[in-house]
Amino acid sequence: MKKDEASCAGARVEKLVELRLSKDGSRRSFLKSALAAAVTGTVASGCDHPFVKDLLQKHYKELSDEDKKELFQRIEQRTHAWSGVRVKVSDPQPLDGVHWGYALNLNHCNGNRRCVEACARENNLPNDPEIRYIRVVEADNGSQHLEHGTVNYDREQVPEPGKYYLPVQCHQCRNPPCVKACPTKATWQEPDGIVVVDYDWCIGCRYCQAACPYHARRFNWTVPSIEPDRINPDQGYLSNRIRPVGVIEKCTFCLHRVRRGRYPACFEACPTGARKFGNLADPSSEVRQIIASKRVWILKEDLGTDPRFFYFYA
Amino acid sequence: MSAGRLVLVAFVAALACEATHAPDQAAERPFAPTHEEILVEPRSHLLPTYPCTSCHDEREAQPTRRRLADYHRTRYDDLKHGDDAFWCYQCHALEDIDKLRMASGQLISFDEAWRLCTSCHGDKQRDFQRGIHGLTIGEWNGKKHRRSCTGCHDPHNPRFRSMTPEKPPAPVQSR
């Protein structure tokens, strides 16, 4: 193979995409040529066009430190190119002897949704179409029939007398149905219990979304639109980096924060002190104290998902 | 800065019954929980903006319960703590209006208001010390700041105030 031919494989692929987008040429011929170009790219290891690199990118677990460094740089450059914001992509690793747990005091939660907004800010969630990881269910006191509740309550003041508020987000189940449903192993559970998604391996089939009994997963139907001034520059590869179109995303307990000793964004935003977060492996942590001394329950216990997210009254 | 500016409360005793982590074990686990210090946020630095003594120094204290029509009228109208049993000097010190008075007669700073509150609300004290009740920020495994009781509750009307919620989620669009 000629060297110049190899080096411009990436350019060829891009050209083909343009062609495809302008509706010239049939789908079949496009795929054929794209595949050919991809194969060419594989062979031509000298070709370092970002598009080819995207095409040939490995699964997160197979990435070497060198691969990661290059990949994170590529993401940073790409974000800078369209937004002008300098971000830092990293992948903090699970901590030894730490299993995350979340507890939420339903007596204190008053449905003010500060957690929802803080989460959106922290995790670069788009406003259009709106994606939010946390939904706050408003239901009648004395009832566990959440299906009669609503997440769309719009009130001047909360709490409304006679109602209680139950925020729902990813429960980071120990027995996660979403992980079992994924056909490409794009989602898995980390040793510290957080269920993560490799956005570059997600094919967007949404099986996991259907499998999740807590409705905790969100799909990017369009290219996520996020204003540059809302971009959070502290980005985790498996958590809050800006997602591409057509992939699933979810709450990760802000793993880029908690693995560095900080609290999740929703925790810090809660003005009522209803949210409690900590290490389930540490008997002196707040969550363990709660489990030991309060009446704690989990949502949809009968499904056997064994969540790490607990509700309690105190 | 006064010495009591930051009150370092060693709640460790209650919290860290597990604080007897063997040191070698801690070394094995670099992120082993420590719970070294929990700071209850101070309140007294808010006082100098309007010191009680600026008026009360010149007035004789009247410890009897009565209708307040002039000074502290809004406080009086809004006083909803412990039915009608409460009056100013159950908590505020007659001897030194810039201090609080425990049932034992001990005068304490506003920074330690939680001690006074929990002398009645013992159940809350237990939860507060364990980090179950109250608002904590900081690091899950390190330094923590805990809001004092009066940081969230108005002691004169301690029920948590209602709030304006953030906007509801956007309606789901059919595609």
Side-chain angles (χ1 to χ4, degrees):
Chain A
M1 188 193 303
K2 285 176 198 163
K3 201 174 177 206
D4 55 338
E5 193 183 331
S7 64
C8 69
R12 274 183 60 202
V13 178
E14 270 197 347
K15 178 90 180 153
L16 282 163
V17 173
E18 272 169 31
L19 211 69
R20 170 66 182 144
L21 291 176
S22 63
K23 309 250 178 195
D24 286 344
S26 73
R27 178 180 165 82
R28 181 168 293 256
S29 70
F30 163 74
L31 287 175
K32 254 189 199 166
S33 341
L35 188 69
V39 171
T40 318
T42 321
V43 176
S45 55
C47 180
D48 59 351
H49 195 282
F51 190 91
V52 178
K53 295 209 158 177
D54 281 354
L55 216 60
L56 303 176
Q57 192 187 309
K58 292 178 193 155
H59 188 277
Y60 171 77
K61 288 181 178 176
E62 293 173 339
L63 293 172
S64 66
D65 288 348
E66 199 63 25
D67 290 341
K68 279 182 187 172
K69 199 176 153 198
E70 193 194 328
L71 174 58
F72 297 170
Q73 231 167 31
R74 203 158 77 220
I75 296 170
E76 285 162 8
Q77 281 165 0
R78 198 166 290 167
T79 309
H80 182 254
W82 71 263
S83 69
V85 180
R86 293 261 177 225
V87 300
K88 181 89 189 91
V89 179
S90 59
D91 65 332
Q93 295 301 305
L95 310 176
D96 279 345
V98 173
H99 295 271
W100 303 115
Y102 215 123
L104 204 147
N105 188 348
L106 293 177
N107 269 4
H108 285 190
C109 179
N110 63 5
N112 59 61
R113 293 203 189 96
R114 301 287 189 276
C115 50
V116 181
E117 284 311 302
C119 166
R121 282 270 173 179
E122 177 66 30
N123 289 300
N124 296 311
L125 299 185
N127 281 333
D128 184 30
E130 189 178 275
I131 290 182
R132 297 289 182 266
Y133 292 164
I134 306 173
R135 291 171 313 134
V136 186
V137 183
E138 183 191 76
D140 290 330
N141 271 349
S143 136
Q144 283 258 349
H145 298 294
L146 296 181
E147 66 272 25
H148 297 310
T150 175
V151 298
N152 297 313
Y153 63 90
D154 191 6
R155 302 192 183 282
E156 286 290 308
Q157 294 281 300
V158 285
E160 175 80 1
K163 303 277 187 188
Y164 75 97
Y165 297 86
L166 184 132
V168 184
Q169 60 202 81
C170 176
H171 282 34
Q172 319 288 358
C173 311
R174 289 181 189 80
N175 185 16
C178 52
V179 169
K180 285 181 219 162
C182 181
T184 62
K185 295 195 174 162
T187 184
W188 67 92
Q189 188 163 43
E190 295 265 290
D192 56 0
I194 300 178
V195 175
V196 294
V197 182
D198 183 345
Y199 307 117
D200 291 335
W201 270 69
C202 177
I203 55 169
C205 69
R206 297 187 285 133
Y207 286 9
C208 56
Q209 196 175 25
C212 175
Y214 305 106
H215 188 12
R217 289 179 168 249
R218 305 284 181 271
F219 187 68
N220 286 283
W221 286 98
T222 60
V223 177
S225 65
I226 175 165
E227 299 82 16
D229 62 331
R230 276 178 67 96
I231 292 178
N232 175 7
D234 172 22
Q235 301 191 351
Y237 182 77
L238 294 173
S239 57
N240 67 336
R241 73 179 162 108
I242 297 166
R243 273 73 60 183
V245 61
V247 302
I248 281 283
E249 56 179 284
K250 65 183 283 296
C251 158
T252 57
F253 281 177
C254 289
L255 68 82
H256 53 283
R257 291 169 67 107
V258 297
R259 286 179 182 173
R260 294 198 184 102
R262 299 173 73 194
Y263 277 121
C266 50
F267 177 103
E268 280 187 4
C270 180
T272 66
R275 288 173 172 269
K276 301 292 164 192
F277 179 83
N279 182 4
L280 285 174
D282 170 17
S284 65
S285 72
E286 288 164 8
V287 275
R288 278 290 294 273
Q289 295 280 330
I290 288 163
I291 292 169
S293 64
K294 298 291 166 192
R295 290 200 297 168
V296 174
W297 57 280
I298 52 179
L299 203 55
K300 301 192 182 182
E301 185 179 2
D302 48 327
L303 297 179
T305 49
D306 206 356
R308 287 163 200 274
F309 198 101
F310 307 92
Y311 296 96
F312 70 105
Y313 302 95
Chain B
M1 189 192 283
S2 71
R5 185 78 190 247
L6 288 178
V7 186
L8 173 64
V9 180
F11 272 149
V12 183
L15 264 172
C17 30
E18 203 60 25
T20 48
H21 277 308
D24 53 331
Q25 199 184 347
E28 269 175 36
R29 293 163 53 189
F31 294 95
T34 50
H35 285 301
E36 266 167 8
E37 37 196 329
I38 297 170
L39 267 67
V40 174
E41 286 183 357
R43 305 277 298 163
S44 62
H45 66 283
L46 302 168
L47 214 54
T49 54
Y50 194 3
C52 309
T53 38
S54 63
C55 295
H56 280 269
D57 262 2
E58 294 154 20
R59 288 160 180 272
E60 198 173 326
Q62 297 183 29
T64 47
R65 185 183 177 89
R66 66 194 186 284
R67 182 179 162 75
L68 295 181
D70 206 357
Y71 294 106
H72 298 313
R73 190 175 60 79
T74 49
R75 272 275 182 269
Y76 178 84
D77 292 343
D78 205 27
L79 184 64
K80 289 197 183 73
H81 193 168
D83 299 332
D84 287 341
F86 268 55
W87 195 240
C88 311
Y89 295 108
Q90 247 130 0
C91 299
H92 293 279
L94 261 174
E95 308 89 307
D96 180 356
I97 197 68
D98 283 334
K99 289 268 167 64
L100 297 169
R101 189 166 65 86
M102 301 279 286
S104 63
Q106 186 194 357
L107 301 192
I108 58 170
S109 138
F110 280 91
D111 291 341
E112 294 180 290
W114 62 271
R115 284 181 58 199
L116 181 60
C117 303
T118 56
S119 60
C120 288
H121 300 279
D123 58 329
K124 292 290 177 284
Q125 178 188 27
R126 211 164 47 230
D127 286 354
F128 184 66
Q129 286 179 337
R130 288 174 178 166
I132 298 173
H133 184 106
L135 201 155
T136 308
I137 52 167
E139 295 164 350
W140 61 267
N141 198 28
K143 285 187 181 170
K144 296 181 191 203
H145 278 237
R146 191 160 292 162
R147 207 61 86 66
S148 188
C149 309
T150 46
C152 296
H153 301 277
D154 178 351
H156 309 98
N157 185 354
R159 190 183 183 82
F160 204 85
R161 299 292 166 95
S162 58
M163 306 172 74
T164 311
E166 301 282 343
K167 65 179 170 52
V172 177
Q173 291 164 7
S174 54
R175 284 169 198 277

